[in-house]
Amino acid sequence: MLQTPYYLIDKARLEPNMEKIAWLREASGAKSLLALKCFATWSVFDFMAQYMDGTTSSSLFELRLGAEKFGGESHGYSVAWAEHEFDEVLTHADKVIFNTIGQLERFGAASAGHVRGLRVNPGVSSSDFDLADPARPFSRLGEHDPARIAEVLGQVSGFMFHNNCENDDFERFDAMLGHIEVRFGALIRQMEWVSLGGGIHFTGSGYPLERLAERLKRFAGEHGVQVYLEPGEAAITNAATLEVTVLDTLFNGKHLAIVDSSIEAHMLDLLIYRSSAKMLPNEGDHEWMICGKSCLAGDIFGEFRFPAPLRPGDRLSIQDAAGYTMVKKNWFNGVKMPAIVLRELDGTERLVRDFGYDDFAAALS
Ligand SMILES: *Cc1c(COP(=O)(O)O)cnc(C)c1O
């Protein structure tokens, strides 16, 4: 038996998401690029690349990882490119996307002859969290003024919009796309491609995929553009778990179990957005609080129900551990970083990466 903690990526759970993505491309013509900031575990890239068109990035390193390990099309985007990295950016990017007109102008000469795009901020978003809302007041994410954008149209062939966040409501997506069309339609019709970003939860059960396909196809047809989507979370949702073992239990008004992992170190995104981890099955007469082994007082995965009292040695499986999880793991408290295990379609499990003391020491000097 494999030693915990480890992230377990299950290809059988990844496959249905991939099939929906491939179906959507077939039905709508929209290409899908994996957003690496959400998920960059490259051991499954060869599998995912059978269904997706390439990758999109938030930095030079992600861009390079996508180009080298995933292949297909590589969109290079960054909130701000640095002078010293830009030549290398051009060697990996099929399209380089600038966040501002200022950056487009600064790198105008250097990028002449390359396919270029500009991030446009439509000023609306589906996010309820200020922290993750690209349309928050004074947002630095993209240009918002159609008149200013019109002045640089000759230098770009496409736009990137990203204003959805785990949006599982098709009507809301439809309305936001309508808003974009009203405000930027005349500019879009002068472009060759438009990326609508990520944040559309179209792989979720019950999502009206046919309606999304029809809407994207109509958008592409009416404006004469190749549409791209940049799914992060939607591509890998539910595809991985974090496997942990109970190390100790105590009763302190509630039943507590301490596991060989840490929410701060291994599922940081949940802590940032103050949400509970998910545990399955979550039923039974015994309620337990599952706690991490770092010394942070609030290192708590959540409270869950179990059929029997927990004991040291029990194995637990924390759900939905792929998106914004593995990319954010860190060495806080020196807690052993979870290994990475792949479960193949035939059910065999394979350790693809382990982390030890040398990795911990190498992360600092
Ligand atoms: C974060 C991000 C994505 C991926 O978003 P998900 O919500 O994970 O689908 C795509 N494109 C851009 C520009 C992003 O910033």
Side-chain angles (χ1 to χ4, degrees):
M1 196 131 113
L2 292 158
Q3 177 116 51
T4 61
Y6 58 90
Y7 298 103
L8 174 62
I9 304 176
D10 188 344
K11 282 190 182 172
R13 294 171 79 176
L14 183 57
E15 196 177 38
N17 297 340
M18 292 296 107
E19 282 171 349
K20 284 180 187 174
I21 287 176
W23 183 90
L24 185 65
R25 170 176 49 186
E26 202 58 41
S28 71
K31 297 183 182 181
S32 276
L33 306 178
L34 177 66
L36 295 182
K37 82 159 190 280
C38 171
F39 182 79
T41 310
W42 44 269
S43 349
V44 283
F45 280 3
D46 56 346
F47 180 70
M48 301 176 84
Q50 299 169 50
Y51 303 88
M52 302 184 73
D53 295 282
T55 53
T56 187
S57 51
S58 345
S59 63
L60 169 61
F61 289 170
E62 283 188 357
L63 171 63
R64 177 173 165 186
L65 189 79
E68 291 184 354
K69 303 274 191 196
F70 200 106
E73 295 185 46
S74 321
H75 282 197
Y77 164 74
S78 170
V79 170
W81 297 115
E83 294 281 351
H84 63 82
E85 65 186 0
F86 197 70
D87 284 347
E88 194 184 341
V89 168
L90 292 177
T91 67
H92 301 297
D94 296 302
K95 296 187 177 67
V96 57
I97 301 173
F98 296 99
N99 186 59
T100 62
I101 291 172
Q103 283 252 309
L104 171 64
E105 287 174 344
R106 184 159 312 118
F107 296 105
S111 63
H114 286 262
V115 179
R116 295 183 291 202
L118 180 67
R119 179 165 185 173
V120 178
N121 189 328
V124 287
S125 105
S126 74
S127 177
D128 300 323
F129 272 102
D130 206 35
L131 183 65
D133 182 0
R136 62 189 275 148
F138 316 111
S139 174
R140 72 191 183 299
L141 302 172
E143 293 286 349
H144 62 274
D145 180 0
R148 280 220 64 205
I149 296 167
E151 290 168 16
V152 297
L153 275 198
Q155 295 167 57
V156 295
S157 59
F159 294 142
M160 188 265 275
F161 295 89
H162 172 70
N163 60 321
N164 285 281
C165 183
E166 298 206 27
N167 184 359
D168 58 5
D169 179 350
F170 172 75
E171 310 293 341
R172 204 164 171 196
F173 169 76
D174 181 30
M176 284 200 298
L177 191 55
H179 171 91
I180 287 174
E181 288 177 301
V182 168
R183 196 165 161 77
F184 300 101
L187 302 178
I188 290 172
R189 284 188 286 281
Q190 299 174 63
M191 295 291 104
E192 291 164 21
W193 55 272
V194 167
S195 171
L196 296 175
I200 312 168
H201 212 59
F202 63 89
T203 53
S205 63
Y207 194 92
L209 212 50
E210 289 82 4
R211 295 181 67 199
L212 177 65
E214 186 278 329
R215 185 68 175 94
L216 295 175
K217 193 172 180 178
R218 187 151 46 84
F219 177 87
E222 286 176 0
H223 302 289
V225 288
Q226 169 66 51
V227 172
Y228 288 88
L229 300 177
E230 302 177 349
E233 187 60 45
I236 47 65
T237 192
N238 273 321
T241 52
L242 174 59
E243 302 293 315
V244 302
T245 300
V246 175
L247 299 177
D248 194 14
T249 61
L250 65 160
F251 182 79
N252 210 349
K254 288 185 174 186
H255 291 285
L256 313 181
I258 298 168
V259 300
D260 57 356
S261 177
S262 156
I263 192 166
E264 167 90 3
H266 307 154
M267 294 194 103
L268 181 59
D269 209 48
L270 293 177
L271 206 58
I272 291 173
Y273 291 98
R274 306 224 184 283
S275 37
S276 170
K278 291 180 215 149
M279 189 84 69
L280 280 178
N282 181 15
E283 43 190 49
D285 293 337
H286 302 268
E287 189 169 71
W288 285 68
M289 182 184 281
I290 305 303
C291 310
K293 67 174 278 178
S294 86
C295 59
L296 177 73
D299 192 344
I300 297 164
F301 287 92
E303 294 183 46
F304 309 99
R305 307 200 71 85
F306 298 91
L310 294 178
R311 287 181 314 203
D314 285 351
R315 294 275 296 255
L316 303 176
S317 196
I318 299 170
Q319 301 295 305
D320 217 1
Y324 300 99
T325 304
M326 304 171 81
V327 289
K328 292 194 176 191
K329 64 187 164 55
N330 62 68
W331 282 112
F332 183 58
N333 264 229
V335 179
K336 161 90 172 64
M337 198 172 263
I340 302 174
V341 175
L342 287 192
R343 183 183 283 148
E344 300 292 343
L345 290 172
D346 66 7
T348 55
E349 292 183 0
R350 185 160 62 90
L351 178 75
V352 292
R353 182 83 157 92
D354 202 0
F355 301 93
Y357 172 77
D358 290 344
D359 299 293
F360 169 62
L364 289 170
S365 73

